[in-house]
Amino acid sequence: MQILQDISLKPFNTFGMDVHTDYYTEITNPTQLAAIAADASLPAKRFILGGGSNVLLTQSLHGIVLHNRIKGIEKVKEDDDYVWVTAGAGEVWHDFVMYAIANNWAGVENLALIPGTVGAAPIQNIGAYGVEVKNVIDHVTAWHWEMKREVPYYNSECAFGYRDSIFKHQLKDKVFITSVTFRLNKTPEFNTSYGAIEQELKKMDIEEVSIAAIADAVIAIRSSKLPNPREIGNAGSFFKNPTISLEQYDNLKASFHDIPSYPVSDTMVKVPAGWLIEQCGWKGFRAGDTGVHEKQALVLVNYGSATGGAVWDLSDNIVKTVHDKFHIELEREVQVW
Ligand SMILES: Cc1cc2nc3c(=O)[nH]c(=O)nc-3n(C[C@H](O)[C@H](O)[C@H](O)COP(=O)(O)OP(=O)(O)OC[C@H]3O[C@@H](n4cnc5c(N)ncnc54)[C@H](O)[C@@H]3O)c2cc1C
């Protein structure tokens, strides 16, 4: 295991922030984590990095970056209906989706083209087009820094919620996810009702729906809508869609007639954060190299040499203006370091 010093993380985060870390190493095997834990010469502060697509780096990191490169995909069991597949946490998420589709195993096709690694997927319970990854996770295996061993966390123990899980709370900084075991469906239940999937399938002249066709439709929609981090630095949605009470929503509707919402329960609704931000006039805003994407108000961008601090300040101003106008508190989805 090679430990490097004073490394720029610019190539390793999709915002493209040029921030340095004191120490850096790649983790290709869970056994290396025991060695890291036992090495007293290494800094105690550890930063776990996957694809760097959900982090905003605002300052130099004084500690060690553990870059997850644990690979391997294996079918571990099956029955008549399901197949259980374990993927190394460092596998690229989209590659895993393509692998599942190639084998005709259903459940992740709506999540095609989400950037990042398999290991980060459970952390914020990634979701898109009506599907969340929690629907197909059997268990998550993680190295526990205090127990000094790998521990399985079964689905019911992961406290999955909207862009949320136990890994953001009780287990934050306590574990390194090493693999995820999925339970995929041998007989697909297609989920095409959300977003523009059905429309896209029609446009593609698809007569018989398949998981491959759904993934193709999702890829086409995402490619046309979301800025590619290779072209403009960004981390996807910067904020979560806030959940508010139906009562607050009804009050807001009196002043803002076209405020959109999605039902969450009998008493709560979700309001699209992008709409709120757009109403505050931020869409397409640019100051130097820091900005709000011109087509997606939910996506903050680095046009080249923005700093993490400038993006943070912009996000702060957005939070304030949305609060002043709607009395709604936006919560950042992106992890800030
Ligand atoms: C263009 C774009 C579109 C996106 N679209 C979506 C979307 O549709 N839906 C969605 O849910 N998300 C979306 N995202 C966000 C992002 O892709 C996901 O959050 C993804 O799961 C992050 O994976 P990563 O490997 O890049 O994580 P990183 O950014 O590297 O890390 C994110 C956090 O997880 C921690 N972490 C990472 N790996 C591990 C590990 N193995 N063990 C313990 N902790 C770990 C890190 O320390 C950090 O706190 C989008 C991002 C971009 C740039």
Side-chain angles (χ1 to χ4, degrees), residues 130-198:
V131 171
E132 289 181 323
V133 75
K134 75 174 166 82
N135 303 351
V136 290
I137 288 181
D138 183 75
H139 67 275
V140 174
T141 303
W143 167 267
H144 196 294
W145 294 108
E146 282 160 21
M147 291 190 219
K148 297 193 173 33
R149 63 179 172 85
E150 281 185 283
V151 181
Y153 295 95
Y154 282 86
N155 189 306
S156 59
E157 300 170 288
C158 292
F160 287 124
Y162 164 59
R163 300 295 174 273
D164 207 13
S165 74
I166 194 170
F167 304 104
K168 279 187 165 184
H169 302 283
Q170 289 98 314
L171 292 178
K172 189 174 162 62
D173 296 328
K174 296 222 174 335
V175 297
F176 184 120
I177 294 171
T178 50
S179 69
V180 181
T181 299
F182 300 90
R183 193 191 71 161
L184 301 173
N185 215 322
K186 286 182 173 177
T187 38
E189 283 165 27
F190 302 124
N191 190 338
T192 58
S193 56
Y194 198 91
I197 297 186
E198 253 159 29

Side-chain angles (χ1 to χ4, degrees), residues 88-107:
E91 288 287 346
V92 171
W93 172 257
H94 180 68
D95 293 351
F96 172 71
V97 172
M98 291 295 109
Y99 173 90
I101 289 168
N103 284 285
N104 210 21
W105 298 330

Side-chain angles (χ1 to χ4, degrees), residues 14 48-55 68 114-117 120-121 123-124 126-128 163 175-177 222 227 229 234-236 333 335 337:
T14 59
I48 304 169
L49 191 63
S53 64
N54 203 28
V55 287
N68 181 12
I114 296 182
T117 52
I123 293 174
Q124 73 151 2
I126 56 168
R163 300 295 174 273
V175 297
F176 184 120
I177 294 171
R222 292 184 69 98
N234 76 90
E333 180 180 311
Q335 303 295 302
W337 287 358

Side-chain angles (χ1 to χ4, degrees), residues 244-254 256-262 269-271:
I244 61 171
S245 70
L246 205 50
E247 193 188 344
Q248 186 181 2
Y249 177 74
D250 286 340
N251 286 339
L252 284 167
K253 204 157 169 67
F256 306 99
H257 306 295
D258 53 350
I259 183 171
S261 70
Y262 306 96
V269 293
K270 215 182 268 179
V271 178

Side-chain angles (χ1 to χ4, degrees), residues 280-327:
C280 293
W282 288 108
K283 196 174 180 181
F285 169 87
R286 180 168 178 170
D289 273 351
T290 309
V292 178
H293 194 259
E294 56 189 9
K295 289 192 198 148
Q296 279 290 342
L298 199 47
V299 178
L300 305 196
V301 294
N302 170 13
Y303 286 104
S305 57
T307 62
V311 173
W312 170 264
D313 288 346
L314 171 59
S315 75
D316 230 17
N317 285 332
I318 291 172
V319 171
K320 279 190 192 115
T321 52
V322 167
H323 184 265
D324 289 349
K325 194 169 176 127
F326 298 103
H327 303 289

